[in-house]
Amino acid sequence: MKDFVPHPRLRNAHLMTIAAAFWRRRFPRLPASVSRLFEVEPGTQVRGECHWQEQPGKYPTLVLLHGLEGSSESAYILGTAEKAVLAGFNVVRLNQRNCGGTETLTATLYHSGLSGDIRAVVRELIERDRLPEIFAAGFSMGGNLVLKMAGEFGDAAPPELRACVGVAPAFDLARCADALAEPRNFLYEGHFVRSLKRRMRHKARLFPERYAAAALNGGMRGVRTVREFDDVITARFCGFRDADDYYARSSAARVIAAIRRPTLIVTAQDDPFVPFATFEREEVRGNPNI
């Protein structure tokens, strides 16, 4: 691999992060997708945007999973999908629950512990589509989910799951939430909190009997950080005691030592809110599969 050399005007980590989010990009070589619904548990579906080669069973398949408040339409997902299709992969751009305009497909919320969702998609592609080679790649929150799935599989991973990739994976959720709350990261924190609140208010209008009391009429007025949102909303409605319990039980760090499939982690030493120190732990450095 070539050494990464940043653009001369984008050597600052914050400028690089912001530019990546707002830089207009086009993907002219990415063919049109076919939408497909995957049932991940009774009453809950997620939508994948699928790009199939002419004979899908003769090609490897890459399942892509976006990060917090992203979707299958996020630029980093589209860019990766375009490169993968051109390299000879089938590609499934997967939306997490409620993302990409799919709020009506489930009454539940999405969160960083739902590794069972991508596991269900992988199993369906293997068992129903008979695809011989599956690769899973996730970004940030999606990276946590992919690594958590790999760790939970352990030695029982299906042979068709050939490898996993985590790009800047937020696999120590508490550390990432603390980093996000640092004053220097106020732009990112504010963006995520506003987006999470907006999505939750929309969800409450769709399912008022379940969420209206918590999300409408000022129910989230005091929420200023992602950790506070997870305390007030995620933990309450997703079966956790509080944000600390949610982070502890949902972080891939808890199972990363059990990964037995070839796994690639790509991250930046100066990532603003995914601390590089989390990748120095023995469970990562000492696992020969990573």
Side-chain angles (χ1 to χ4, degrees):
M1 295 178 65
K2 296 179 181 179
D3 289 341
F4 173 70
V5 180
H7 189 283
R9 296 182 180 180
L10 296 177
R11 292 185 179 277
N12 177 279
H14 297 287
L15 287 176
M16 196 179 299
T17 301
I18 294 168
F22 292 102
W23 201 299
R24 290 180 63 85
R25 299 173 60 192
R26 293 187 176 91
F27 310 97
R29 295 183 292 175
L30 180 64
S33 62
V34 177
S35 295
R36 173 167 164 179
L37 298 180
F38 297 85
E39 185 171 60
V40 294
E41 64 181 32
T44 293
Q45 294 176 309
V46 296
R47 191 187 77 229
E49 294 299 323
C50 306
H51 304 270
W52 301 116
Q53 301 287 344
E54 190 170 337
Q55 294 180 285
K58 294 185 177 181
Y59 295 87
T61 300
L62 176 62
V63 181
L64 294 173
L65 196 60
H66 60 83
L68 181 65
E69 288 303 281
S71 75
S72 61
E73 300 300 314
S74 295
Y76 55 89
I77 294 291
L78 293 170
T80 306
E82 183 181 61
K83 291 178 174 63
V85 167
L86 294 173
F89 283 78
N90 305 306
V91 176
V92 178
R93 294 184 283 119
L94 193 62
N95 288 286
Q96 296 188 49
R97 300 186 191 192
N98 299 301
C99 297
T102 65
E103 287 89 350
T104 60
L105 296 181
T106 179
T108 64
L109 306 178
Y110 84 118
H111 65 80
S112 292
L114 291 172
S115 49
D117 285 5
I118 188 169
R119 182 167 62 246
V121 171
V122 168
R123 286 202 178 279
E124 181 171 326
L125 293 172
I126 293 170
E127 295 168 7
R128 174 177 154 183
D129 296 78
R130 304 296 181 185
L131 296 175
E133 293 182 295
I134 309 288
F135 297 80
F139 296 75
S140 193
M141 174 185 179
N144 178 71
L145 289 165
V146 167
L147 296 179
K148 185 169 180 283
M149 174 191 70
E152 289 167 342
F153 268 136
D155 292 320
E160 294 87 353
L161 179 62
R162 296 303 176 89
C164 294
V165 180
V167 182
F171 69 83
D172 186 329
L173 295 168
R175 294 279 297 276
C176 291
D178 290 344
L180 195 57
E182 293 176 6
R184 66 190 180 95
N185 289 327
F186 74 96
L187 281 176
Y188 317 120
E189 179 105 80
H191 164 74
F192 285 131
V193 171
R194 286 190 298 273
S195 184
L196 286 164
K197 285 183 174 182
R198 185 165 56 247
R199 186 184 303 279
M200 193 61 205
R201 284 191 289 265
H202 178 51
K203 192 73 173 180
R205 287 188 286 269
L206 292 173
F207 300 93
E209 71 288 346
R210 189 164 184 163
Y211 300 117
L216 300 177
N217 303 317
M220 298 183 293
R221 186 177 292 119
V223 172
R224 297 288 182 270
T225 68
V226 169
R227 183 183 280 273
E228 289 172 352
F229 180 89
D230 289 333
D231 249 333
V232 172
I233 299 295
T234 309
R236 174 177 176 179
F237 292 107
C238 298
F240 301 99
R241 184 184 65 252
D242 53 23
D244 287 336
D245 182 48
Y246 163 49
Y247 296 154
R249 290 165 57 188
S250 300
S251 293
R254 187 172 55 85
V255 295
I256 201 164
I259 290 177
R260 295 295 178 265
R261 281 286 178 267
T263 297
L264 174 67
I265 293 177
V266 182
T267 194
Q269 288 181 311
D270 59 354
D271 189 297
F273 50 86
V274 180
F276 185 73
T278 61
F279 301 97
E280 300 282 14
R281 65 181 69 207
E282 176 60 26
E283 300 96 302
V284 176
R285 295 291 186 180
N287 187 332
N289 301 295
I290 298 176

